């Protein structure tokens, strides 16, 4: 879980940067039109290509992964939520640190990605591109001289690239400036989504900002646009945080410590409430209101508080009990805050 465990540039505001490349094989129908035999053939072909890469990668067939383990991989941003819920013949390849990965037979035959902590889009693209080049030596991609890489969704035709940054923007939310900021991003062709991408809810002041289309724009242009907008949003968030803290430091600290108090004492904690409270904890760590607590430690708690991670730590009977996950989440947070973060 490299993006969670390591810090990157501007990590007080940017959780992660991700590059995803959509690719399809030239001699096989898109996944939504494949037969089971063709889908299995794609998996076998990609497995063979992965085995020839200089970069060691673990190859896993999705049918061998339990439902809870799929949820965990989704929450760690290794696979998409849609892929975690998918049926059929899919597979996953990833390196040991989970920086680079490949989803096989998701919306496209291959979804190649690299994810890094903080604002590191250029570095993530370099990693994803190197993996893409290695695979293309062994397989023939569907490519058109006029339209570029051919993909299942028309918005990905062209470079096939989606560049995204995951931002934490509690200051802009508190001051109700977030709507204007995100509307501006949308007007210039960027998409704004929740923590887990398309269709996910906006909780905990976590926003993913990414390009919407790739046709007609080079990879460099897309990355520069997303990076420039992210830097502008980060600067606005920084100014708002500083102003809030300077104008009323006691109120600012009280907002954070009330969140700590709830996390430290709740007996039932719904996911939405958890995300709101952990957002305050992350803000407190970033602004040094909570001494000795790092932003990265809070990021790990944020991921470990998601349903899949919580479900993995309890029995089936506990998961099926009334409020089972919410009780387990509250218990887990109390224990973590007490023993690991020394807040009690």
């Amino acid at each position: 879980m490299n993006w969670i465990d390591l810090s990157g540039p501007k990590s007080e505001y940017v959780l992660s940067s991700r590059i995803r490349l959509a690719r399809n094989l030239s001699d096989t129908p898109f996944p939504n039109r494949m037969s089971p035999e063709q889908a299995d053939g794609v998996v076998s072909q990609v497995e063979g290509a992965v085995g020839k890469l200089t970069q060691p990668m673990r190859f896993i067939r999705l049918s061998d992964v339990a439902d809870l383990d799929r949820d965990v991989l989704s929450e760690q941003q290794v696979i998409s939520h849609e892929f975690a819920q998918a049926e059929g013949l899919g597979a996953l390849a990833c390196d040991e640190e989970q920086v680079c990965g490949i989803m096989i037979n998701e919306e496209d035959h291959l979804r190649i990605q690299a994810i890094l902590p903080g604002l590191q889009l250029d570095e993530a693209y370099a990693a994803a591109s190197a993996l893409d080049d290695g695979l293309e030596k062994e397989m023939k991609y569907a490519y058109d001289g006029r339209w570029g890489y051919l993909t299942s969704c028309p918005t990905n035709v062209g470079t096939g690239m989606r560049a995204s940054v995951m931002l934490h923007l509690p200051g802009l939310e508190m001051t109700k400036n977030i709507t204007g900021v995100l509307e501006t991003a949308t007007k210039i062709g960027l998409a704004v989504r929740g923590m887990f991408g398309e269709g996910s809810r906006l909780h905990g002041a976590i926003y993913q900002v990414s390009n919407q289309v790739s046709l007609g724009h080079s990879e460099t242009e897309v990355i520069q646009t997303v990076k420039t907008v992210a830097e502008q949003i980060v600067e606005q968030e920084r100014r708002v945080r500083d102003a809030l803290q300077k104008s009323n430091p006691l109120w600012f600290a009280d907002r954070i410590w009330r969140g700590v108090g709830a996390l430290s004492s709740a007996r039932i904690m719904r996911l939405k409430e958890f995300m709101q409270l952990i957002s305050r904890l992350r803000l407190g760590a970033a602004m040094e209101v909570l001494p000795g607590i790092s932003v990265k430690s809070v990021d790990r708690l944020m991921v470990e508080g998601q349903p899949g991670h919580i479900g993995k730590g309890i029995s089936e009977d506990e998961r099926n009990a009334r409020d089972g996950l919410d009780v387990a989440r509250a218990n887990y947070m109390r224990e973590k805050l007490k023993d690991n973060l020394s807040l009690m």
Side-chain angles (χ1 to χ4, degrees):
M1 294 165 59
N2 188 62
W3 72 271
I4 301 169
D5 291 330
L6 298 178
S7 294
K10 303 185 187 298
S11 60
E12 306 98 316
Y13 313 95
V14 186
L15 282 81
S16 64
S17 299
R18 179 171 60 189
I19 296 291
R20 182 176 288 173
L21 304 174
R23 300 289 186 261
N24 288 282
L25 305 184
S26 63
D27 58 353
T28 307
F30 289 143
N32 63 341
R33 300 181 64 87
M34 287 190 303
S35 67
E37 293 75 21
Q38 289 171 322
D40 189 56
V42 171
V43 171
S44 297
Q45 190 172 346
V46 177
E47 184 176 16
V50 167
K52 296 179 182 180
L53 294 172
T54 57
Q55 178 183 6
M57 302 194 84
R58 185 171 52 141
F59 196 92
I60 309 165
R61 290 180 181 260
L62 209 58
S63 58
D64 295 331
V65 182
D67 289 345
L68 271 177
D69 291 321
R70 294 189 191 194
D71 291 339
V72 167
L73 289 170
S74 172
E75 291 162 5
Q76 294 172 353
Q77 307 283 326
V78 177
I79 63 175
S80 66
H81 176 73
E82 293 77 14
F83 200 51
Q85 305 300 316
E87 297 180 0
L89 295 167
L92 163 70
C94 63
D95 61 17
E96 185 176 354
E97 292 189 332
Q98 297 181 349
V99 171
C100 292
I102 312 162
M103 290 183 289
I104 300 102
N105 289 341
E106 197 228 29
E107 185 176 287
D108 295 284
H109 294 145
L110 294 93
R111 284 289 179 92
I112 302 163
Q113 80 163 22
I115 183 168
L116 290 170
L119 189 56
Q120 299 192 80
L121 280 174
D122 291 313
E123 294 82 355
Y125 175 67
S129 182
L131 178 55
D132 181 39
D133 290 344
L135 292 169
E136 194 169 15
K137 291 178 182 178
E138 306 298 330
M139 297 179 291
K140 186 177 180 181
Y141 288 155
Y143 184 86
D144 181 85
R146 179 181 180 185
W147 299 108
Y149 292 102
L150 304 180
T151 58
S152 294
C153 181
T155 60
N156 290 322
V157 170
T159 62
M161 188 181 78
R162 179 65 59 87
S164 64
V165 290
M166 192 187 304
L167 303 167
H168 183 221
L169 307 173
L172 290 169
E173 276 200 356
M174 286 181 188
T175 56
K176 304 187 185 305
N177 289 314
I178 189 68
T179 301
V181 170
L182 299 182
E183 284 179 351
T184 300
T186 303
K187 285 178 181 178
I188 62 173
L190 300 183
V192 180
R193 300 184 173 95
M195 182 174 180
F196 296 108
E198 189 170 358
S200 62
R201 296 182 179 180
L202 297 168
H203 291 326
I206 303 293
Y207 298 85
Q208 277 201 50
V209 177
S210 65
N211 61 301
Q212 293 201 67
V213 296
S214 60
L215 185 63
H217 304 279
S218 70
E219 292 90 344
T220 301
E221 289 171 339
V222 170
I223 289 170
Q224 188 58 50
T225 297
V226 176
K227 184 166 64 172
T228 297
V229 171
E231 288 173 339
Q232 291 172 350
I233 294 174
V234 162
E235 179 58 21
Q236 292 180 66
E237 173 69 17
R238 184 193 66 76
R239 291 178 181 176
V240 167
R241 290 186 190 185
D242 288 345
L244 285 171
Q245 190 174 36
K246 289 176 182 177
S247 64
N248 195 337
L250 187 59
W251 173 88
F252 189 80
D254 182 71
R255 293 271 295 191
I256 291 165
W257 280 104
R258 282 178 182 270
V260 172
L263 285 167
S264 304
S265 59
R267 264 51 185 176
I268 298 177
M269 187 170 295
R270 313 281 187 232
L271 180 60
K272 180 179 179 180
E273 179 188 19
F274 165 71
M275 290 300 294
Q276 292 168 343
L277 295 173
I278 206 74
S279 175
R280 295 191 195 182
L281 191 68
R282 193 179 197 276
L283 177 61
M287 300 300 289
E288 300 181 350
V289 174
L290 304 174
I293 300 177
S294 70
V295 168
K296 287 290 108 179
S297 66
V298 180
D299 287 347
R300 174 164 283 282
L301 279 182
M302 184 184 300
V303 173
E304 291 175 348
Q306 300 301 314
H309 282 76
I310 293 296
K312 283 282 290 182
I314 59 178
S315 68
E316 184 176 357
D317 287 343
E318 289 173 309
R319 289 195 296 271
N320 293 332
R322 180 180 178 180
D323 299 319
L325 287 178
D326 299 328
V327 170
R329 181 180 294 112
N331 292 341
Y332 187 75
M333 288 302 131
R334 289 201 316 275
E335 190 64 25
K336 280 290 184 179
L337 291 175
K338 178 181 178 180
D339 293 339
N340 294 345
L341 297 185
S342 302
L343 286 181
M344 297 180 65

